[in-house]
């Protein structure tokens, strides 16, 4: 198969790679860039485990060709923690029990992160709605909702951690 | 003090940052990718397999078929009916025929298409009736399983006829009803995956997403014909199991075989579709129940017939059918129980253990029926349940030993929280509340392979650095076992949680634990960890005693200090005691074990080994629903769930387990079903197998009930399974309360509700 040259800015780092035109962004992130934090739960657009941010918007990376992310900014779960400190959404998922097995968690956190960026004070319904493409089989979502609510009020977390 | 608080999972940071390494995240140098060829037929004879074209495809490095691993195995010693690949016959759509490995997944997939298999198609048995009705021996799935019956059990404790008569004589009620439970499956978010690495000198290491590394280890030794000591099984992070990763799977064997063949690491990663074929989920079951209740509300007798469609192989099937009978008992005080159980083989993927193993189908029926019996004798359904409570420290009629018992407290809790007395039968048409209860073993008292070996061993090492390393074979699969180990050791030693590092589930490093099944880990590995911690603490105390001029028995450890009881001012630090101790004898090492007490292990009748738990957890729930009688659509508005976990070592993870169980039960109540047509799975995907999203999931309010079990670590019992079974009948009972119709077939779909409403109209 013909390869294309694709340039992605992933978590702030520019990467140029040659890839077959039919490969998904998920596949390239995991296999070529070794960013295995983004998970594959179905490879079919049904579970949300592969959610990443593309120019700040959550997308299912399994449903997207790597080539169509050319010259765009990709943020994965690995890109959220800064200077050894967890992002508030990561911290809240941890302390509020928003994850159990952790497999849906990177996608959940990325979706929640995007939600709080566009809506800093979401209602429970808005949270459930924003996460409705992210399946979880462990938690029953109760503590995921709490975690996002908590993250929304978590301004002081970064200070507390340092 | 960390016990009884909300301790965030100690392995949380890697999970929230993407650092956690799951099996599919492993990349070894020079690694190959494996794929499995699966049967397209539900039942067929294999005439021939020709792999030569596949082998010639550039990039293909190895192909294996049945002849490469002919040894039979199975998780149960009485169910060795599987081989890694079908040798002469395929028994379900998805049965494994061959595996290839290649330099890329794509090439491996292409190679599968080049394998030529000639089949002679046989008639497929897709229902238990068909299977049991077959007289033609040559068509039985396994030649030694007559008329495809894997196992049948007939138990009778007390005298049910006498019990039914007593109910009637007292002016009570006796009912007979039939219930249907479809096949459901675990759907862990992480598909099964593994990597095998052949290390020359006849050694192999397997990293695999499993709940039972020890049993995988044992089986691999048989199938690979290698000593166990030459095999190393490591469990990386596991993305959920729920029972679905509790035995050895073909890809695990295939990875080892191909790694050996190619001398290169080989990875297998299931597609989502394959997870549905691997299955080992909850069987489709037909439940017939007859229950008698005396006028005063006492349950006088229960008679149950259970037929389970177990699919093509035994797996845990014998255990599943036995649980369905045994755990009729130990929730209520039932003096007379009769049970007829049939586990049947059919041409569908094999069923196995799933959260609430064996208990869920019967519990749905029983709790629904109890609701109707309560109405018939004019008693509140909550009161009737309370009326039949057991006493703690009871032996049931079928020899189950109940120690701590908090079911009555759970019922009271949810009645109060949900405002049950003001809601039940009192809400407007279309709205209703329903109640149900459930329970589960807190660790099976008998191991899968009966022996005198401990069920758990945990060891601890402390060196100069002051760090406490806990070695455990227990399999963390998201339920929080590593956190619980750390908490127990920290609590027992009186040290900070941050000192503790857990090394887990690596057969070369960690002592044996039987695995994450039957909700056994907190109780069993927890007790072993506590014993190990106590041992190592006493070593520190002996050194500290010399420094303090005290006897070791008088010392206590708290907040990183060791001091004589009641004299905290005369303390030395943990670190001081540690150095003194190491000076005397070097690195500190200790171990603890757990073996169930013989009195917990049940009776001596045939099948008595399954059902006994070292303790039992209890749960009660109330569900509130709103039903639209025009469309049959309904919403579950809220669930109040109380769970007796003995003692909550970690409030956060106990709540999480209860919420997860309730939610999973709810999924089975309202939508989940693996659908088949002529033996073929029709919905092998996450869109088609309806797993509820956050938007479709109701709020769940959890109440923890503590009973302080006399034998659990710090009084703890299980929290991960016992709540599931109650949710389904709670919802069914709520629908009845809302619109006055009974649905005895799952899932409780709008179509079934509409049909029931129509029938109700016809009758009236
Ligand atoms: S892996 Fe992309 S949605 Fe499931
Ligand atoms: S935490 Fe396991 S799937 Fe969500």
């Amino acid at each position: 198969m013909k390869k294309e040259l694709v340039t992605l800015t992933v978590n702030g780092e520019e990467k140029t790679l040659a890839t077959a035109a039919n490969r998904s962004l998920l596949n390239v992130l995991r296999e070529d860039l070794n960013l295995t934090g983004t998970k594959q739960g179905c490879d079919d657009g049904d579970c949300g485990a592969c959610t990443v941010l593309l120019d700040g918007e959550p997308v299912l990376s399994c449903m997207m060709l790597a080539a169509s992310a050319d010259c765009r900014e990709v943020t994965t779960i690995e890109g959220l923690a800064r200077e050894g400190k967890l992002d508030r959404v990561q911290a809240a998922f941890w302390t509020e029990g928003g994850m159990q097995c952790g497999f849906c968690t990177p996608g959940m956190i990325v979706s929640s992160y995007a939600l709080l960026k566009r809506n800093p004070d979401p209602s429970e319904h808005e949270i459930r709605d924003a996460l409705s493409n992210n399946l979880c089989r462990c938690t029953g979502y109760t503590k995921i909702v709490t975690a996002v609510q908590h993250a929304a009020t978590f301004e002081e977390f970064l200070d507390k951690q340092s | 003090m960390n016990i009884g608080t909300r301790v965030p999972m100690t392995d949380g940071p890697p999970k929230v940052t993407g650092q956690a390494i799951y099996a599919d995240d492993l990349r070894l140098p020079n690694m190959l990718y494996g794929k499995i060829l699966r049967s397209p037929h539900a039942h067929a004879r294999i005439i021939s397999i020709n792999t030569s074209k596949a082998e010639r495809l550039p990039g293909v490095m190895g192909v294996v078929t049945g002849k490469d691993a002919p040894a039979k195995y199975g998780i149960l010693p009485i169910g060795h009916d599987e081989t890694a690949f079908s040798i002469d016959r395929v028994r379900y759509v998805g049965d494994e025929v061959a595996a290839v490995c290649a330099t890329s997944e794509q090439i491996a997939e292409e190679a599968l298409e080049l394998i030529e298999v000639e089949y002679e198609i046989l008639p497929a048995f897709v229902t238990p009736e068909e299977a049991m009705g077959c007289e033609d021996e040559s068509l039985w799935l396994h030649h030694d399983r007559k008329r495809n019956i894997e196992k049948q059990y007939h138990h009778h404790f007390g005298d049910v006829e006498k019990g039914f008569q007593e109910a009637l004589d007292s002016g009570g009620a006796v009912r007979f009803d039939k219930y249907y439970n479809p096949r459901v499956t675990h759907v862990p978010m992480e598909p099964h995956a593994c990597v095998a690495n052949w290390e020359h000198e006849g050694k192999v290491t397997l990293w695999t997403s499993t709940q039972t590394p020890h049993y995988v280890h044992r089986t691999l030794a048989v199938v690979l014909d290698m000593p166990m000591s030459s095999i190393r099984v490591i469990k990386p992070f596991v993305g959920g199991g729920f029972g679905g990763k509790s035995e050895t799977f073909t890809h695990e064997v295939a990875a080892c075989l191909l790694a050996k063949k190619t001398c290169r690491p080989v990875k297998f990663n299931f597609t989502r579709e394959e997870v549905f074929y691997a299955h080992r989920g909850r069987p489709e079951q037909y439940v017939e129940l007859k229950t008698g209740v005396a006028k005063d509300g006492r349950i006088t007798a229960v008679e149950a017939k259970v037929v389970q469609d177990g699919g093509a192989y035994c797996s845990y099937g014998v255990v599943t059918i036995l649980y369905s009978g045994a755990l009729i008992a130990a929730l209520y005080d039932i003096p007379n129980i009769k049970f007829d159980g049939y586990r049947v083989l059919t041409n569908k993927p094999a069923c196995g253990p799933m959260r609430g193993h064996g208990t869920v189908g019967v519990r749905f029926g029983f709790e629904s029926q109890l609701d109707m019996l309560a109405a018939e004798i004019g008693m509140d359904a909550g009161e009737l349940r309370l009326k039949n409570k057991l006493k703690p420290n009871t032996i049931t009629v079928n020899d189950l030993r109940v120690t701590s018992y908090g079911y009555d407290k759970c019922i009271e809790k949810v009645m109060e929280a949900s405002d049950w007395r003001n809601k039940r039968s009192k809400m407007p048409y279309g709205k209703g509340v329903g109640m149900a209860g459930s329970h589960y073993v807190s660790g099976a008292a008998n191991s899968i392979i009966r022996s005198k070996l401990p069920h758990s061993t945990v060891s601890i090492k402390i060196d100069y650095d002051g760090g406490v390393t806990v070695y455990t074979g227990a399999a963390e699969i998201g339920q929080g076992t590593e956190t619980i180990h750390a908490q127990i050791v920290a609590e027992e030693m009186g040290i900070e949680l941050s000192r503790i590092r857990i090394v887990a589930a690596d057969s070369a490093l960690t002592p044996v634990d039987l695995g994450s099944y039957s909700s056994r880990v907190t109780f069993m590995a927890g007790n072993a960890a506590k014993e190990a911690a106590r041992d190592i603490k006493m070593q520190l105390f002996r050194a500290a005693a010399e420094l303090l001029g005290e006897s070791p028995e008088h010392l206590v450890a708290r907040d990183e200090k060791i001091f004589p009881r009641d004299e905290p001012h005369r303390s030395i630090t943990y670190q001081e005691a540690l150095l003194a101790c190491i000076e005397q004898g070097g690195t500190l090492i200790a171990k603890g074990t757990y073996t169930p007490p013989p009195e917990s292990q049940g009776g001596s009748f045939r099948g008595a080994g399954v059902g006994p738990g070292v303790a039992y957890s209890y749960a009660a729930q109330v569900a509130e629903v709103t039903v639209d009688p025009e469309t049959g659509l309904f919403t579950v508005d809220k669930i109040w769930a109380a769970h007796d976990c003995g003692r909550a070592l970690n409030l956060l993870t106990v709540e999480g387990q209860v919420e997860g169980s309730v939610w999973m039960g709810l999924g089975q109540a309202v939508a989940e079903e693996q659908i088949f047509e002529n033996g073929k799975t029709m919905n092998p995907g996450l869109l088609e197998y309806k797993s509820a999203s956050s938007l479709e999931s109701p709020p769940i309010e959890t109440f923890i009930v503590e009973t302080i079990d006399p034998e659990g670590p710090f009084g703890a019992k299980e929290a991960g399974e016992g709540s599931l079974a109650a949710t389904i009948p709670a919802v069914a009972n709520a629908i009845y309360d809302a619109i006055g119709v009974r649905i005895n077939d799952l899932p409780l779909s709008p179509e079934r509700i509409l049909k029931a409403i129509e029938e109700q109209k016809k009758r009236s």
Side-chain angles (χ1 to χ4, degrees):
Chain A
M1 176 142 338
K2 208 171 131 277
K3 294 202 168 180
E4 286 180 28
L5 224 45
V6 177
T7 301
L8 309 171
T9 306
V10 184
N11 301 328
E13 269 180 66
E14 196 176 289
K15 310 268 185 189
T16 300
L17 41 105
T19 176
N22 65 349
R23 288 181 67 210
S24 68
L25 177 58
L26 173 64
N27 201 264
V28 167
L29 287 172
R30 288 181 56 83
E31 305 306 327
D32 296 16
L33 301 178
N34 216 8
L35 290 167
T36 54
T38 305
K39 300 301 179 208
Q40 175 178 313
C42 68
D43 211 21
D44 226 359
D46 296 335
C47 76
C50 64
T51 307
V52 299
L53 299 181
L54 189 66
D55 294 334
E57 286 302 315
V59 294
L60 300 175
S61 62
C62 73
M63 297 303 284
M64 170 148 212
L65 294 178
S68 61
D70 191 27
C71 299
R72 298 174 75 177
E73 291 228 14
V74 179
T75 308
T76 70
I77 187 73
E78 289 93 342
L80 296 190
R82 292 286 154 85
E83 293 169 28
K85 287 175 191 154
L86 300 179
D87 174 78
R88 60 178 176 160
V89 182
Q90 293 175 310
F93 266 73
W94 178 32
T95 59
E96 298 306 304
M99 92 276 139
Q100 290 182 21
C101 78
F103 202 78
C104 72
T105 309
M108 277 292 177
I109 288 179
V110 165
S111 293
S112 307
Y113 180 91
L115 166 70
L116 292 183
K117 273 261 140 76
R118 68 172 185 272
N119 178 357
D121 187 22
S123 68
E124 172 165 355
H125 182 80
E126 285 169 331
I127 295 171
R128 287 185 182 270
D129 191 42
L131 298 181
S132 62
N133 288 326
N134 292 82
L135 285 186
C136 175
R137 290 288 289 178
C138 294
T139 62
Y141 305 104
T142 304
K143 287 192 170 9
I144 288 178
V145 172
T146 320
V148 179
Q149 285 168 333
H150 209 74
T153 64
F154 231 10
E155 291 305 327
E156 79 284 26
F157 182 79
L158 289 180
D159 311 328
K160 226 169 51 190
Q161 248 211 345
S162 52
Chain B
M1 191 71 184
N2 68 69
I3 293 287
T5 62
R6 306 179 78 78
V7 178
M9 285 192 184
T10 52
D11 60 352
K15 288 177 186 169
V16 298
T17 52
Q19 285 176 335
I21 308 252
Y22 298 79
D24 185 38
D25 301 335
L26 287 162
R27 276 124 182 75
L28 298 188
N30 213 19
M31 190 168 79
L32 299 170
Y33 300 84
K35 283 280 164 200
I36 292 172
L37 180 71
R38 295 174 181 276
S39 165
H41 306 297
H43 202 184
R45 233 169 243 129
I46 297 178
I47 309 295
S48 65
I49 304 179
N50 184 350
T51 61
S52 55
K53 277 190 197 149
E55 277 165 77
R56 285 200 302 271
L57 184 71
V60 170
M61 295 294 157
V63 182
V64 283
T65 61
K67 62 181 184 328
D68 295 291
K72 281 198 163 187
Y73 64 90
I75 183 73
L76 304 181
I78 51 168
H80 283 197
D81 60 1
E82 299 183 55
T83 47
F85 301 98
S86 305
I87 292 174
D88 51 6
R89 200 195 278 211
V90 287
R91 296 179 174 87
Y92 69 93
V93 175
D95 211 352
E96 299 88 353
V97 176
V100 301
C101 66
T103 48
S104 77
E105 260 188 304
Q106 224 175 345
I107 296 174
E109 266 160 28
E110 282 167 35
L112 293 185
E113 289 177 18
L114 298 177
I115 298 176
E116 295 159 343
V117 188
E118 197 188 330
Y119 293 103
E120 176 199 334
I121 295 176
L122 300 172
F125 306 109
V126 295
T127 67
E129 291 90 319
E130 282 171 27
M132 288 196 285
C134 174
E135 297 294 343
D136 181 351
E137 204 170 319
S138 70
L139 293 177
W140 295 344
L141 270 81
H142 302 279
H143 67 89
D144 55 351
R145 292 293 184 259
K146 206 171 166 187
R147 296 207 320 284
N148 295 312
I149 298 173
E150 174 69 48
K151 267 283 186 274
Q152 52 179 306
Y153 291 95
H154 305 280
H155 293 156
H156 195 171
F157 309 99
D159 182 343
V160 287
E161 289 312 324
K162 226 176 85 196
F164 293 135
Q165 200 53 51
E166 189 193 335
L168 294 173
D169 290 348
S170 73
V174 175
R175 283 195 65 91
F176 174 82
D177 298 284
K178 293 184 180 182
Y179 297 91
Y180 171 75
N181 300 266
R183 177 184 281 236
V184 293
T185 192
H186 325 78
V187 195
M189 286 313 303
E190 179 207 23
H192 306 54
C194 71
V195 179
N197 191 31
W198 187 258
E199 286 154 16
H200 303 280
E201 289 132 29
K203 287 197 164 67
V204 69
T205 298
L206 179 74
W207 290 262
T208 184
S209 176
T210 181
Q211 303 177 229
T212 50
H214 178 64
Y215 288 113
V216 172
H217 193 185
R218 278 179 179 261
T219 303
L220 285 180
V222 173
V223 185
L224 302 176
D225 192 20
M226 286 167 67
M228 268 178 92
S229 57
S230 298
I231 302 167
R232 180 176 182 186
V233 177
I234 302 174
K235 178 208 70 74
F237 276 87
V238 170
F242 317 112
K245 298 173 179 171
S246 303
E247 58 203 292
T248 306
F249 288 87
T250 291
H251 65 291
E252 295 168 323
V253 177
C256 295
L257 289 172
L258 288 165
K260 180 178 181 186
K261 219 170 194 167
T262 59
C263 289
R264 290 173 69 171
V266 177
K267 177 194 277 187
F268 279 81
N269 184 34
F270 276 6
T271 62
R272 179 49 64 184
E273 184 179 348
E274 285 183 288
V275 179
F276 286 88
Y277 299 141
H279 191 71
R280 313 279 156 154
R282 210 188 296 298
E284 186 176 354
Q285 26 192 333
Y286 303 81
V287 177
E288 295 180 11
L289 276 174
K290 186 175 175 186
T291 302
V293 169
K295 184 70 194 153
D296 63 2
R298 276 180 305 112
I299 300 167
T300 57
V302 178
E303 186 174 341
K305 180 182 170 197
V306 180
V307 178
Q308 294 179 341
D309 172 353
Y313 298 95
C314 177
S315 177
Y316 281 80
V318 177
V319 174
T320 319
I321 191 72
L322 282 168
Y323 267 135
S324 76
L327 291 192
I328 291 170
L331 179 58
Y332 300 104
D333 186 4
I334 307 176
N336 305 294
I337 297 175
K338 187 165 182 282
F339 168 67
D340 296 292
Y342 300 84
R343 179 77 175 193
V344 185
L345 294 151
T346 60
N347 292 110
K348 290 191 255 183
C351 293
M354 182 167 166
R355 205 172 198 177
H357 189 188
T359 65
V360 177
V362 174
R363 189 53 52 200
F364 161 57
F366 188 79
E367 296 291 312
S368 299
Q369 196 171 48
L370 213 52
D371 211 53
M372 300 167 86
L373 286 162
E376 286 186 25
I377 63 163
M379 193 181 250
D380 173 73
E383 296 303 331
L384 183 135
R385 287 182 168 84
L386 284 170
K387 178 93 195 171
N388 288 284
K389 70 179 180 192
L390 279 169
K391 286 194 190 61
N393 304 311
T394 301
I395 306 280
T396 67
V397 68
N398 56 345
D399 296 331
L400 306 181
R401 185 192 66 147
V402 174
T403 50
S404 56
Y405 180 85
Y407 184 44
D408 46 340
K409 284 201 198 119
C410 291
I411 295 172
E412 282 159 8
K413 195 84 226 174
V414 292
M415 279 173 88
E416 186 197 310
S418 66
D419 199 16
W420 171 262
R421 289 191 174 83
N422 289 318
K423 283 184 180 163
R424 178 67 170 186
S425 317
K426 296 194 178 84
M427 295 169 90
Y429 182 74
K431 275 185 114 21
V433 288
M435 179 192 290
S438 57
H439 64 326
Y440 199 63
V441 297
S442 180
N446 299 301
S447 54
I448 292 171
I449 302 167
R450 291 288 274 268
S451 76
K452 291 205 173 80
L453 298 170
H455 290 212
S456 244
T457 302
V458 171
S459 62
I460 302 179
K461 180 217 77 168
I462 314 179
D463 219 323
Y464 304 139
D465 63 4
V468 175
T469 309
V470 179
Y471 299 87
T472 174
E476 170 71 63
I477 57 170
Q479 80 281 52
T481 65
E482 295 192 7
T483 308
I484 293 297
H485 276 74
Q487 283 187 266
I488 287 175
V489 171
E491 185 78 13
E492 183 65 32
M493 293 182 65
I495 56 170
E496 294 286 335
L497 205 58
S498 56
R499 278 198 189 273
I500 295 173
R501 184 183 291 274
I502 306 285
V503 175
D506 175 339
S507 66
L509 302 179
T510 60
V512 171
D513 175 86
L514 296 181
S516 288
Y517 65 93
S518 86
S519 272
R520 51 175 296 288
V521 180
T522 293
F523 202 103
M524 298 192 184
N527 265 321
K530 190 162 183 280
E531 187 180 288
R534 191 179 149 70
D535 182 317
I536 217 157
K537 180 177 76 176
M538 291 315 292
Q539 296 179 33
L540 290 166
F541 279 6
R542 283 193 285 277
E546 281 178 33
L547 296 175
L548 289 163
E550 275 286 342
S551 87
E553 290 75 47
H554 289 152
L555 298 181
V556 291
R558 199 178 305 145
D559 300 334
E560 300 257 316
K561 294 196 178 67
I562 295 170
F563 50 87
R565 194 179 307 278
D566 306 326
E567 290 180 88
H569 55 281
R570 286 182 56 212
S571 68
I572 60 163
T573 65
Y574 160 82
Q575 196 72 25
E576 286 166 336
L578 174 63
L579 288 180
C581 203
I582 292 176
E583 273 170 17
Q584 288 171 11
T587 304
L588 279 67
I589 290 171
K591 73 167 160 52
T593 62
Y594 180 80
T595 306
E599 58 274 22
S600 69
Q601 288 173 318
S604 53
F605 55 91
R606 180 173 165 268
V610 176
V614 288
Y616 296 87
S617 69
Y618 292 92
Q621 285 161 37
V622 170
E624 186 170 324
V625 301
T626 306
V627 189
D628 178 353
E630 299 302 316
T631 59
L633 291 169
F634 69 100
T635 52
V636 177
D637 303 317
K638 177 148 183 182
I639 291 185
W640 293 266
H643 187 106
D644 159 24
C645 63
R647 180 162 183 200
L649 301 183
N650 185 338
L651 299 173
L652 199 61
T653 57
V654 168
E655 286 172 8
Q657 285 303 301
V658 174
E659 287 160 10
S661 299
V662 168
W663 178 85
M664 201 164 256
L666 195 60
Q668 292 168 39
V670 305
E672 290 185 29
E673 176 172 14
Q674 187 161 337
I675 299 165
F676 292 90
E677 234 175 78
N678 301 324
K680 186 170 161 39
T681 302
M682 300 310 287
N683 56 343
L686 291 178
L687 195 63
E688 301 81 12
Y689 184 91
K690 295 183 195 123
S691 184
S693 74
S694 49
L695 212 47
E696 298 155 318
S697 304
I700 300 162
E701 194 174 346
T702 304
F703 302 92
I704 293 171
V705 167
E706 297 198 314
T707 48
I708 315 300
D709 187 81
E711 295 171 18
F714 300 103
K717 301 190 288 193
E718 80 91 39
E721 301 193 62
S723 278
L724 190 150
T727 313
I728 304 169
V731 173
N733 292 341
I735 289 175
Y736 175 76
D737 191 41
I739 53 169
V741 300
R742 279 281 158 200
I743 317 287
N744 288 358
D745 296 352
L746 294 177
L748 306 164
S749 61
E751 299 78 44
R752 288 196 166 115
I753 291 175
L754 274 187
K755 198 164 148 243
I757 292 176
E758 257 152 47
E759 278 163 16
Q760 184 194 37
K761 278 189 192 143
K762 265 189 233 147
R763 274 198 307 271
S764 62

